[in-house]
């Protein structure tokens, strides 16, 4: 209500022209105005009502939400009771309607578990109502990442008389509510380019004598701790000692790589493929995974590959000991290299607020 409408309601109540009662316990209600100017109803007598008293901060936020919804062109009812198809009763702090759309805003200032929030949200859902939550600074200790199905937002500490700020969005509560109702708050799932790194060594196929790139190890692009895309240099970050490549270790490394990188992806980067050869020289082997030549598909023997790796490492060590400038060069110089396999990863969903173009930008 506007200030004038509220004064008229209070005058009608004093004149006993209105029958006002509390929906929680059906006792008479008294319209009041808080010292900060918030409109609310109070019990004429408390009696046995079990409904907890609302804090001034709770009342204030409800009032701001209701006024913002009215300004956005919605019909608004505070403390609106309802019932789910299963017979569960609910009371929405601020209930908004426009056409067929129904939205309940909840202001939660007292502590509430995430499980209880989800239970109440599900109750709204089965009732055909979309629910949205605003949590006070100490109302929620997050244990669940709420998503599009449960829109939940945090308020910075609320001071009655000052516009509360919705955390992370740097928007006032009324501005944020209007944005929601005007469809300017959108759920977005970001996508990131996080290439997969594959280490290789330049070599020659024993069968067709074509130059090949024997694959060795891999590093998932999603493994970066700071969320940035990995580069070729990251493959060797913190690796002070060269790994010991043996027949067994090479097979296991290739087996792990094949589980996450396809042969088509390897071929697209000019790398050897990864194959499985369970019998070698007429004998079963426990280490069957090996490189397959990109050109002729001939299996590459892991024993000879390990010898090739050892020779390259020893050669690098010799030159590094002879030349200080070469010693400072990155370890991947020479016959080693890193190929980047293109990968697009899906990030965690988040809400994005589109600012009102009619608002002045500070």
């Amino acid at each position: 209500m506007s200030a004038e409408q509220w004064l008229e309601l209070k005058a009608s109540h004093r004149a006993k022209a209105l029958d006002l009662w509390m929906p929680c316990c059906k006792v008479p209600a008294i319209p009041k105005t808080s010292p900060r100017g918030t409109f609310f109803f109070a019990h004429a007598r408390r009696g046995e009502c079990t409904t907890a008293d609302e804090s001034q901060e709770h009342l204030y936020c409800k009032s701001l939400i209701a006024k913002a919804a009215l300004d956005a062109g919605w019909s608004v009812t505070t403390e609106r009771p309802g019932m789910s198809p299963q017979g569960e009763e609910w009371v929405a702090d601020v209930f908004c309607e426009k056409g067929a759309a129904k939205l309940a805003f909840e202001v939660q200032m007292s502590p509430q578990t995430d499980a209880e929030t989800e239970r109440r949200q599900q109750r709204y859902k089965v009732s055909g109502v979309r629910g949205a939550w605003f949590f006070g600074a100490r109302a929620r200790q997050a244990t669940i990442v709420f998503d599009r199905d449960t829109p939940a937002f945090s308020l910075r500490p609320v001071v009655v008389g000052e516009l509360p700020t919705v955390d992370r969005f740097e928007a006032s509560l009324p501005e944020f509510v209007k944005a929601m109702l005007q469809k300017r708050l959108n759920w977005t799932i970001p996508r990131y380019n996080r290439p997969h790194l594959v280490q290789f060594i330049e070599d020659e196929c024993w069968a067709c004598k074509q130059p090949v790139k024997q694959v060795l190890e891999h590093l998932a692009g999603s493994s970066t701790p700071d969320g940035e895309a990995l580069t070729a240099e990251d493959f060797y970050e913190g690796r002070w000692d060269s790994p010991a490549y043996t027949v067994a270790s090479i097979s296991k490394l290739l087996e792990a790589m094949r589980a996450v990188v396809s042969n088509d992806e390897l071929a697209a980067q000019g790398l050897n493929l990864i194959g499985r050869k369970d019998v070698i020289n007429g004998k079963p082997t426990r280490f069957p995974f090996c490189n397959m030549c990109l050109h002729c598909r001939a299996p590459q023997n892991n024993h000879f590959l390990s010898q090739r790796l050892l020779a390259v490492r020893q050669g690098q060590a010799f030159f590094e000991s002879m030349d200080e400038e070469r010693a400072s060069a990155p370890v991947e110089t020479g016959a080693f290299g890193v190929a980047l396999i293109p990968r697009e990863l899906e990030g965690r969903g988040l809400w994005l607020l589109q600012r009102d173009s009619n608002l002045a930008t500070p």
Side-chain angles (χ1 to χ4, degrees), residues 11 18 121-122 134 152 172 177 180 199 201 229 234 240 246 261-262 302 327:
L18 289 177
Q121 182 75 356
Q122 181 62 24
F134 292 102
S172 70
V177 169
M180 293 181 71
Q199 186 194 35
I201 183 171
D234 293 319
W240 305 108
T246 64
V261 181
S262 71
N302 286 341

Side-chain angles (χ1 to χ4, degrees), residues 99-297:
K102 299 177 181 180
L103 177 60
F105 287 104
E106 289 291 338
V107 178
Q108 191 65 38
M109 291 296 180
S110 58
Q112 176 170 281
T113 66
D114 285 349
E116 176 64 9
T117 302
E118 289 193 319
R119 185 191 70 82
R120 294 174 63 183
Q121 182 75 356
Q122 181 62 24
R123 189 172 60 186
Y124 278 135
K125 182 178 180 179
V126 298
S127 302
V129 178
R130 180 80 162 143
W133 297 80
F134 292 102
F135 286 91
R138 289 183 290 273
R140 178 177 181 240
Q141 293 182 340
T143 58
I144 297 174
V145 179
F146 287 140
D147 55 17
R148 185 178 185 178
D149 292 333
T150 306
F153 312 96
S154 298
L155 299 174
R156 292 181 185 168
V158 176
V159 177
V160 177
E162 299 178 8
L163 290 180
T165 300
V166 181
D167 201 19
R168 195 179 72 81
F169 294 90
E170 301 301 327
S172 70
L173 180 57
E175 177 190 355
F176 192 83
V177 169
K178 289 178 69 174
M180 293 181 71
L181 297 176
Q182 293 172 350
K183 298 183 179 181
R184 290 188 286 110
L185 184 70
N186 302 304
W187 178 258
T188 302
I189 299 179
R191 305 190 71 85
Y192 305 99
N193 179 32
R194 295 293 182 266
H196 206 90
L197 308 187
V198 173
Q199 186 194 35
F200 64 85
I201 183 171
E202 296 174 356
D203 204 355
E204 181 181 281
C205 173
W206 66 268
C208 67
K209 306 304 180 182
Q210 291 286 329
V212 293
K213 294 178 179 179
Q214 309 266 32
V215 294
L216 302 171
E217 297 187 72
H218 73 103
L219 184 63
S222 59
S223 63
T224 172
D226 57 6
E228 297 296 325
L230 292 174
T231 64
E233 290 75 16
D234 293 319
F235 196 94
Y236 302 98
E237 183 70 25
R239 182 178 287 193
W240 305 108
D241 298 319
S242 299
Y245 292 111
T246 64
V247 170
S249 67
I250 292 175
S251 177
K252 291 179 179 178
L253 289 170
L254 294 177
E255 180 181 11
M257 192 190 309
R258 197 176 80 158
V260 293
V261 181
S262 71
N263 277 337
D264 287 342
E265 289 178 315
L266 294 174
Q269 302 302 317
L271 304 173
N272 270 353
L273 314 181
I274 298 175
R276 177 170 184 152
K277 191 172 177 61
D278 293 294
V279 178
I280 298 178
N281 295 328
K283 297 180 180 180
T285 177
R286 292 181 298 160
F287 312 112
F289 292 91
C290 62
N291 275 259
M292 307 288 286
C293 176
L294 177 64
H295 310 289
C296 68
R297 302 299 191 267

